[in-house]
Amino acid sequence: MNIGQAASASGVSAKMIRYYESIGLIPKTIRTESGYRVYSDHDVHTLRFIRRARDLGFSVEQIADLVSLWRDRERASKDVKTIALDHVAVLERKIRELQDMASTLKHLAENCCGDSRPHCPILEELASEEPLPVHAKADAKFGALGKA
Amino acid sequence: MNIGQAASASGVSAKMIRYYESIGLIPKTIRTESGYRVYSDHDVHTLRFIRRARDLGFSVEQIADLVSLWRDRERASKDVKTIALDHVAVLERKIRELQDMASTLKHLAENCCGDSRPHCPILEELASEEPLPVHAKADAKFGALGKA
DNA sequence: CCTTGACCTTCCTATGATTGGAAGGATTAC
DNA sequence: GTAATCCTTCCAATCATAGGAAGGTCAAGG
């Protein structure tokens, strides 16, 4: 199987498969004489595992740990559970941060009549010297929400 | 006022002030003869406005719009409100995504006894060919949650 | 007056996961 | 035989931020 076929079978783009190989998340594949990467069904299974873990928001580092636990028949389920619950805690912290931001903004927007006049409590709040009314601090690495 | 003083007065790091200048979010300041940037209280006020907007998760692009509306005495509050509510919508979509991930993971973790035995429903789920039980797809730009 | 330390300057690098493209070779289908 | 579609590697961009190196400047104290 070529990389393109492995990509569509696994849901991981060819670009990402090469990237995962380059960072060591997946091993280097065998190649054809002309240098094409060759994948087995087993490789595709691993890629699908990886994609699912990404869909759940795990970092590549965590995924590497999960994959190696998956491969280890003598793993302790505790180790897996720890990774999962740590991640849940991170997710929940993020959720709270975003909720604080959203609720602060919603309150401000409710008080803004949103017409053609210049008066605007949202800008007033941003320009104010007082602390923000709700705890609504982005942590730097997350503030911009990616491209969304 | 030097950049360091402006930084501590505004809560925006000197690094970021230079960056904001380089991308045109704030104008180039005057300099001393020896090349040091000089800031006024007014500049600090603008920086604090920017920091608050960042704390609410606005992107630099949105902040540029907000700052220019703030400067414009003839703005329509509608324009500000639109930016704010668009951002709220993005935040709420993100919140839902993260909640889906967290709830999926919590369900899986609940069924994992978390002891020294290898049996683990979390890994089983990741390895499964079935679709994930809850709609829990990360959008790519957000999946890894930054460094957190 | 001179040194020391704390500041400032610019420039380059890294982060994390992903996408995009360019330039060139391989394969496949007609 | 040729066109289209794949593959290869390498480089760049995203977004906001932090870190560091190399070198110039300033203030205080001896």
Side-chain angles (χ1 to χ4, degrees), chain A residues 11 15 32 34-36 44 70 74-75 78-79 81-82 85 92 108 110 114 116 129-130 136 143:
Chain A
K15 283 264 187 209
T32 64
S34 53
Y36 283 23
V44 169
W70 182 39
E74 314 198 6
R75 70 193 162 238
K78 179 170 54 105
D79 295 340
K81 191 168 182 173
T82 298
L85 290 180
E92 292 185 334
L108 291 174
E110 270 166 27
S116 60
E129 310 284 321
E130 313 295 318

Side-chain angles (χ1 to χ4, degrees), chain A residues 20 25-26 46-54 63 67:
Chain A
Y20 289 152
L25 177 58
I26 56 179
T46 302
L47 287 169
R48 231 175 296 164
F49 180 99
I50 290 170
R51 190 179 60 77
R52 283 171 164 256
R54 290 274 324 128
I63 294 172
V67 169

Side-chain angles (χ1 to χ4, degrees), chain A:
Chain A
M1 209 186 312
N2 279 341
I3 198 171
Q5 297 167 300
S8 46
S10 66
V12 178
S13 72
K15 283 264 187 209
M16 289 311 298
I17 295 175
R18 291 192 198 98
Y19 172 70
Y20 289 152
E21 183 189 298
S22 81
I23 62 172
L25 177 58
I26 56 179
K28 298 196 177 179
T29 60
I30 52 173
R31 305 274 189 133
T32 64
E33 282 179 11
S34 53
Y36 283 23
R37 288 170 180 82
V38 175
Y39 296 89
S40 66
D41 286 350
H42 178 257
D43 295 328
V44 169
H45 196 195
T46 302
L47 287 169
R48 231 175 296 164
F49 180 99
I50 290 170
R51 190 179 60 77
R52 283 171 164 256
R54 290 274 324 128
D55 287 346
L56 289 170
F58 287 105
S59 69
V60 165
E61 198 182 345
Q62 288 171 313
I63 294 172
D65 293 342
L66 290 171
V67 169
S68 95
L69 287 166
W70 182 39
R71 300 235 172 289
D72 177 7
R73 296 213 180 149
E74 314 198 6
R75 70 193 162 238
S77 63
K78 179 170 54 105
D79 295 340
V80 182
K81 191 168 182 173
T82 298
I83 295 174
L85 290 180
D86 281 359
H87 183 47
V88 168
V90 170
L91 289 169
E92 292 185 334
R93 190 168 60 78
K94 287 302 167 193
I95 290 166
R96 258 175 275 121
E97 285 178 9
L98 299 186
Q99 281 172 337
D100 284 346
M101 293 183 208
S103 83
T104 300
L105 270 169
K106 274 199 282 192
H107 283 302
L108 291 174
E110 270 166 27
N111 294 316
C112 173
C113 46
D115 55 19
S116 60
R117 287 171 297 173
H119 172 72
C120 178
I122 303 169
L123 291 178
E124 271 171 26
E125 178 56 43
L126 290 171
S128 144
E129 310 284 321
E130 313 295 318
L132 279 169
V134 182
H135 169 69
K137 300 281 174 78
D139 92 32
K141 293 285 173 189
F142 203 61
L145 300 175
K147 254 192 179 164

Side-chain angles (χ1 to χ4, degrees), chain B:
Chain B
M1 209 185 310
N2 278 342
I3 197 170
Q5 296 166 300
S8 45
S10 66
V12 178
S13 72
K15 283 263 186 206
M16 289 311 297
I17 296 175
R18 291 192 198 99
Y19 171 70
Y20 289 154
E21 183 188 298
S22 81
I23 62 171
L25 177 59
I26 55 178
K28 298 196 175 177
T29 60
I30 50 172
R31 304 276 187 131
T32 64
E33 281 178 11
S34 54
Y36 283 23
R37 289 171 180 83
V38 175
Y39 296 89
S40 65
D41 286 349
H42 178 257
D43 295 328
V44 170
H45 195 194
T46 302
L47 287 168
R48 231 176 295 162
F49 180 100
I50 290 170
R51 191 180 59 77
R52 282 170 165 258
R54 290 275 324 127
D55 286 345
L56 289 169
F58 286 105
S59 69
V60 165
E61 198 183 346
Q62 289 171 312
I63 295 173
D65 293 343
L66 290 170
V67 170
S68 94
L69 288 167
W70 183 39
R71 300 237 173 289
D72 177 6
R73 297 213 181 148
E74 314 197 8
R75 69 193 163 238
S77 63
K78 179 170 55 106
D79 295 341
V80 183
K81 192 168 180 173
T82 299
I83 295 174
L85 291 180
D86 282 359
H87 184 45
V88 168
V90 170
L91 289 169
E92 291 185 334
R93 189 169 62 79
K94 287 300 167 196
I95 289 167
R96 258 175 276 123
E97 285 180 7
L98 298 186
Q99 281 172 338
D100 285 345
M101 294 182 207
S103 84
T104 301
L105 270 169
K106 274 198 284 190
H107 284 300
L108 291 174
E110 269 165 29
N111 294 317
C112 173
C113 46
D115 57 18
S116 61
R117 287 171 297 173
H119 171 73
C120 178
I122 302 170
L123 291 178
E124 271 171 27
E125 177 56 42
L126 289 171
S128 145
E129 310 283 321
E130 312 295 318
L132 279 169
V134 181
H135 169 71
K137 300 280 174 79
D139 93 32
K141 293 285 175 188
F142 204 59
L145 301 176
K147 252 188 180 166

